[in-house]
Each structure stands twice: as structure tokens, then as C-alpha cells.
Amino acid sequence: MWTTNERRTAISLSTPSTPRLRLRPAAPPGSARTALDGAWWPRSADPVAELPGLILALQDHGPIDDHRPITHVLLRKDDWDSRPRRLRVDGPDDTRVVRLSWFDSLPSGLLTAIHADGRRVDLFTVPAATPWTEAEAAMNLAIHPHDHLGVPGLLAALVPPGRTARAGTPTASESAWESEGGRLRRDLGAR
């Protein structure tokens, strides 16, 4: 059962910011769908402040005659500071309420926006605290035509050489292996 706060529609009191967003060019009709459609680098982990600008930018992307609104956004719980269920988005032409769903099972750094016609946009979300040069490099890698890393690999790529990942953070090779159903044995060195 939802609490009163969960039923309430969240409203951003500030004007939607211009998102730091990179999208892949539109693929030709009939081509295979890519793992990611782009990358986004929010300024904070506050979904009420960050999502309206992103939603408006995604709705404006695409053919001029195809402005289907985004009605639903899927996010990972641990990536954000709060978890509203509904968000009011005030656009230049209209105001709408977008449903937000929160999951533990989504990969960290993945955001999926769903249009009213069922189309989806999968974005790699760069953590807000990432330094500028690392964030830019990760966003460019996410939209590269030959990128096959996916979200776990892109997150692992944010750890520059010479620095170690935080404890419990998989390496790029571990992420690639585990995303394909494998598991690395942590006790291999103990033999």
C-alpha cells in the first residue's frame, strides 16, 4: 500500500535545466537496436530537480512530426536520493505527469524512458560526482557506434588507470563476464 507521500506528485520548483545529454544518431529503419541510446550526466542525484529537463529533451529528440510524450521512467533505487512515484513536468506546450518506477534489479547507471507509443530510450547515467573529463569520456564512449560495453563496462571505465575501484566494484572484465551470465571465482588465487 502506498503512503500519502508516495501518492503525491513531485513538482520541481526550479526551471528545468538543460541536460548534459548525448544521444546516438538515429539508426536506419530495420537496423538492430543498440544496447544504449545515449548517455546523460545529471548535476545531482535529486530526481525532482534533474528529470524534468531530461524528459523534455528526450521528447524533443526525433522527427518533428513524432513528438510522443514520455509517460514512464525506470530507474535504479540506489542511484538517486529520493524516490517519488510521479513527477510533474512543465513543458513549453503542456504539463504532464510522468510515472517513475524504482528497481533494485536494474544495473547501476541505467535509466529507461518509455514514450506513450511504447518506444524506449536506454541511457547510461554518469554519476553526478564524476569529474568533468571522465564524464565526457564516458558519455562519448556510450554513443560511439562500436561501443559494446553496456552500462557495467561504462561504469568500470570511469575508474582511471592507476586508481583502484572501490571495494566490491567489479572490474571491466568481471562486468563483461557477469553480464553474460558467468561468475568469476574470487578464490582462484587461493589454490
Side-chain angles (χ1 to χ4, degrees), residues 84-105:
R85 298 279 185 179
R86 298 182 306 187
L87 177 67
R88 188 175 88 185
V89 178
D90 297 318
D93 299 326
D94 65 348
T95 296
R96 78 180 69 250
V97 174
V98 176
R99 188 171 53 150
L100 306 178
S101 294
W102 303 93
F103 299 93
D104 289 325
S105 57

Side-chain angles (χ1 to χ4, degrees), residues 145-171:
H146 301 294
D147 168 42
H148 300 290
L149 285 177
V151 172
L154 289 167
L155 279 174
L158 286 174
V159 179
R163 252 182 30 199
T164 57
R166 293 179 309 222
T169 303
T171 65

Side-chain angles (χ1 to χ4, degrees), residues 113-177:
I114 301 174
H115 289 264
D117 62 0
R119 283 181 299 127
R120 60 187 275 167
V121 177
D122 292 316
L123 297 176
F124 169 57
T125 304
V126 178
T130 304
W132 184 83
T133 54
E134 290 177 37
E136 287 288 318
M139 291 174 64
N140 288 333
L141 187 57
I143 64 167
H144 192 277
H146 301 294
D147 168 42
H148 300 290
L149 285 177
V151 172
L154 289 167
L155 279 174
L158 286 174
V159 179
R163 252 182 30 199
T164 57
R166 293 179 309 222
T169 303
T171 65
S173 61
E174 289 173 4
S175 296
W177 176 255

